[in-house]
């Protein structure tokens, strides 16, 4: 029971860090969009790159948490992996995006972090999509026709 509580606390810390990071980046992206109103292509590409890199950073945060949990006896990953950094990153991508290939599976309290990562990824991807939609709606409004 104590290990599950630790897994919940670790999950809460990682989710909080991801939410803060995501909010900060989207807030900064909003400022970029406002400052570059004379163009459409450049701000949208910059914002999309920022969002993509933010998702990668969040995936890395979860991969590090997974590695820490497995190294401290809070569960393990079983299946087709060698416990390398690339394997933790690969597993985290599949979990964050809810792809869930299934060649690597969590065992023990680390399952809590895995489930919470999937929920967090779903939430943050949806947040990014809605932000992108609103940015495109603003930049591609008919009054801005003729801009590139």
């Amino acid at each position: 029971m104590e290990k599950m509580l630790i897994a919940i606390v670790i999950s809460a810390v990682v989710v909080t860090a991801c939410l803060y990071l995501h909010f900060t980046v989207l807030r900064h992206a909003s400022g970029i969009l406002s400052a570059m109103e004379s163009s459409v292509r450049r701000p949208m590409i910059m914002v999309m790159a920022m969002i993509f890199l933010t998702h990668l950073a969040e995936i890395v945060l979860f991969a590090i948490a997974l590695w820490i949990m497995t190294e401290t006896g809070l569960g393990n990953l079983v299946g087709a992996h060698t416990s390398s950094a690339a394997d933790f990153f690969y597993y985290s991508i599949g979990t964050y995006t809810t792809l869930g290939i299934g060649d690597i599976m969590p065992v023990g309290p680390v399952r809590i972090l895995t489930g919470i990562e999937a929920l967090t990824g779903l939430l943050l991807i949806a947040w990014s999509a809605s932000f992108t939609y609103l940015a495109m709606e603003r930049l591609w409004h008919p009054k801005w026709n003729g801009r590139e």
Side-chain angles (χ1 to χ4, degrees):
M1 186 62 172
E2 180 181 318
K3 288 184 176 185
M4 286 292 204
L5 184 59
I6 294 170
I8 291 169
V9 169
I10 291 171
S11 298
V13 168
V14 176
V15 168
T16 301
C18 288
L19 290 173
Y20 180 77
L21 175 63
H22 215 80
F23 173 81
T24 303
V25 168
L26 291 183
R27 188 77 178 124
H28 185 66
S30 181
I32 288 173
L33 290 171
S34 294
M36 299 179 80
E37 286 189 351
S38 63
S39 176
V40 172
R41 187 177 301 136
R42 185 174 298 143
M44 279 310 301
I45 290 172
M46 287 178 64
V47 166
M48 293 306 297
M50 289 171 63
I51 290 172
F52 180 79
L53 293 173
T54 302
H55 285 293
L56 284 180
E58 292 157 355
I59 288 167
V60 168
L61 287 175
F62 275 104
I64 291 168
L66 285 164
W67 175 75
I68 289 170
M69 289 180 74
T70 60
E71 289 294 312
T72 57
L74 293 171
N76 205 355
L77 298 178
V78 297
H81 74 99
T82 59
S83 294
S84 68
D87 286 338
F88 284 103
F89 182 67
Y90 163 78
Y91 177 74
S92 189
I93 289 171
T95 304
Y96 185 92
T97 61
T98 69
L99 180 60
I101 295 171
D103 55 342
I104 302 174
M105 295 179 48
V107 175
V110 76
R111 293 176 302 161
I112 298 292
L113 180 67
T114 296
I116 290 176
E117 180 179 6
L119 180 60
T120 304
L122 185 65
L123 174 71
L124 296 180
I125 290 168
W127 190 3
S128 296
S130 65
F131 179 87
T132 303
Y133 172 78
L134 292 172
M136 288 181 349
E137 184 178 77
R138 179 175 167 212
L139 288 173
W140 294 351
H141 190 272
K143 74 176 185 175
W144 302 110
N145 281 343
R147 292 189 314 171
E148 288 189 42

